[in-house]
Amino acid sequence: MCVCPGPRRIGIPVRSSSLPLFSDAMPAPTQLFFPLIRHCELSRIYGTACYCHHRHLCCSPPYIPQSRLRYTPHPAYATFYRPKESWWQYTQGRRYASTPQKFYLTPPQVNSILKANEYSFKVPEFDGKNVSSVLGFDSNQLPANAPIEDRRSAATCLQTRGMLLGVFDGHAGCACSQAVSERLFYYIAVSLLPHETLLEIENAVESGRALLPILQWHKHPNDYFSKEASKLYFNSLRTYWQELIDLNTGESTEIDVKEALVNAFKRLDNDISLEAQVGDPNSFLNYLVLRVAFSGATACVAHVDGVDLHVANTGDSRAMLGVQEEDGSWSAVTLSNDHNAQNEREVERLKLEHPKNEAKSVVKQDRLLGLLMPFRAFGDVKFKWSIDLQKRVIESGPDQLNDNEYTKFIPPNYYTPPYLTAEPEVTYHRLRPQDKFLVLATDGLWETMHRQDVVRIVGEYLTGMHHQQPIAVGGYKVTLGQMHGLLTERRAKMSSVFEDQNAATHLIRHAVGNNEFGAVDHERLSKMLSLPEELARMYRDDITIIVVQFNSHVVGAYQNQE
């Protein structure tokens, strides 16, 4: 039986013509095992990854359909998106008469890769009690792109109540997702502040006094902030809160969380656009703001305050609630909608926002203007600015931007911009004692696992209770001996399920290593993690996960008070 992994979300990495600004700080677990790859090891590893005793079609060079790419390049610029060399020719360039040597990462090496970017936070207790509805969270990332284009953020609101958590999926580079992960929570926190607190902060800035801290960040060392752009970002944020002060009449009004989330998303996207148009005297910052604006990012953010859970989503990342039923089983409740061609309401919204004669071109081949997969995103000014504005900014910008074929390319059928928005869709859910956890994840997870499997795996991990289901073989012809092997494997798996101390890591292990029977296969996991950076993106996308665990006792106490 062939055990080759097979392409999942197949895509070609989109590489900028310039060097990445943040490459030295990017988490890249593949570097942990690169010293093992010397001379011919690349072909040995890949030969193993797609090796079987009988050559099937699945062992042929992977066909890379453009329908699987997040960006579909225009034919005129196909070479801009294509790797310089044919990786299949490269890996097949050296052949051996002997049987290919099998190369596997050891379990410790696998764990080192999987755990390189994991982070956990437990909400501190007061007088021996946790008064928060959130017990804590686990997060992790596994790159496929180099550098990784996903980002994550988590912070506690200090001047208001609640916690913010979010995942951000970048495309056409990591610049936009990096900027949004740094800035969006500040915009949300400012939007939630009462008028008196905004005045106090502005007066402190005017008089040069120390500012009240707005957020307490919970970061992995790899989750860095751009120091060079901090002043620019602060000035834009200050302008925003000054406008909020001017708009407020001073009357005490209840803050609408949904409205605050929508305003924060839209205002940050507007500032990203404005900063790129105005530019900056500093050449580094000038190029940075342009890279942020011309790349893009989706965002899925949760705000948890007591039993009030709001999820603001822009794009195709998802929020999934894990609910434990009375019989102990798990069910998944979706708290976000994908903004892509599979969402009929999104397609209809786009068509209504543009003239009828564009009905066939605004969404083409399940993509915005035939190019972009998500229908909502930050940045991506190529789908928002007029053609004249794009040309003017590019011509007056740095040479790196002017020499980049992608930035100069105008989408086809581009008549009535903007075609893209960053406005989020906000979902509200009142927490109940049976709501045990929330999973926020970029589409790299949801492309490999069904939502029900995600919730079941996390639920069983957090509770230690495993509800064994009959083994489903999915139409495969399985002998009695093979079935005995599967049952033995499942029994062995039970004793090692807690090797992960992080729920997000445990979920990534399943997402990458599950075999056709739903069990983690170390051989498959080793092969997938052994793929070099040039090949990894052809099999999967970046995966970023945050698992938020709720405090059922506190949630129940809120319910009893009512």
Side-chain angles (χ1 to χ4, degrees), residues 181-324:
S181 70
E182 293 182 35
R183 306 176 67 179
L184 181 58
F185 285 9
Y186 280 114
Y187 280 73
I188 295 173
V190 165
S191 301
L192 292 170
L193 289 176
H195 182 71
E196 297 77 14
T197 307
L198 289 173
L199 282 174
E200 189 176 346
I201 293 175
E202 176 60 22
N203 291 334
V205 175
E206 281 289 335
S207 59
R209 291 184 284 111
L211 286 176
L212 291 170
I214 298 176
L215 296 172
Q216 177 188 355
W217 291 92
H218 311 299
K219 300 191 301 176
H220 185 278
N222 288 336
D223 302 335
Y224 64 96
F225 277 47
S226 174
K227 296 179 180 178
E228 296 83 1
S230 59
K231 185 177 180 180
L232 171 68
Y233 292 169
F234 176 79
N235 289 337
S236 294
L237 181 65
R238 184 185 180 188
T239 301
Y240 178 45
W241 80 53
Q242 287 173 338
E243 293 180 11
L244 290 177
I245 291 173
D246 293 339
L247 290 172
N248 196 307
T249 59
E251 297 178 3
S252 180
T253 56
E254 188 73 20
I255 301 294
D256 186 322
V257 177
K258 179 177 180 179
E259 183 181 356
L261 288 168
V262 172
N263 291 340
F265 272 62
K266 293 170 66 175
R267 179 54 183 254
L268 174 57
D269 191 55
N270 182 74
D271 284 352
I272 288 173
S273 175
L274 187 61
E275 290 161 1
Q277 294 176 49
V278 173
D280 193 281
N282 181 303
S283 59
F284 177 86
L285 285 180
N286 191 40
Y287 185 41
L288 172 60
V289 297
L290 288 168
R291 286 191 63 216
V292 170
F294 276 90
S295 59
T298 65
C300 187
V301 173
H303 178 263
V304 189
D305 181 7
V307 294
D308 297 320
L309 169 61
H310 289 84
V311 174
N313 184 55
T314 290
D316 51 9
S317 295
R318 292 182 191 171
M320 203 69 60
L321 189 68
V323 180
Q324 189 170 31

Side-chain angles (χ1 to χ4, degrees), residues 39 78 90 152 157 192 244 246 255 296 347 366 390 408 442:
H39 305 297
Y90 176 73
R152 58 183 166 178
C157 300
L192 292 170
L244 290 177
D246 293 339
I255 301 294
V347 175
D366 287 344
Q390 290 188 44
K408 292 191 294 185
T442 54

Side-chain angles (χ1 to χ4, degrees), residues 359-371:
K360 293 184 178 180
S361 61
V362 67
V363 177
K364 196 172 183 179
Q365 296 178 335
D366 287 344
R367 292 172 180 267
L368 182 65
L369 298 179
L371 295 173

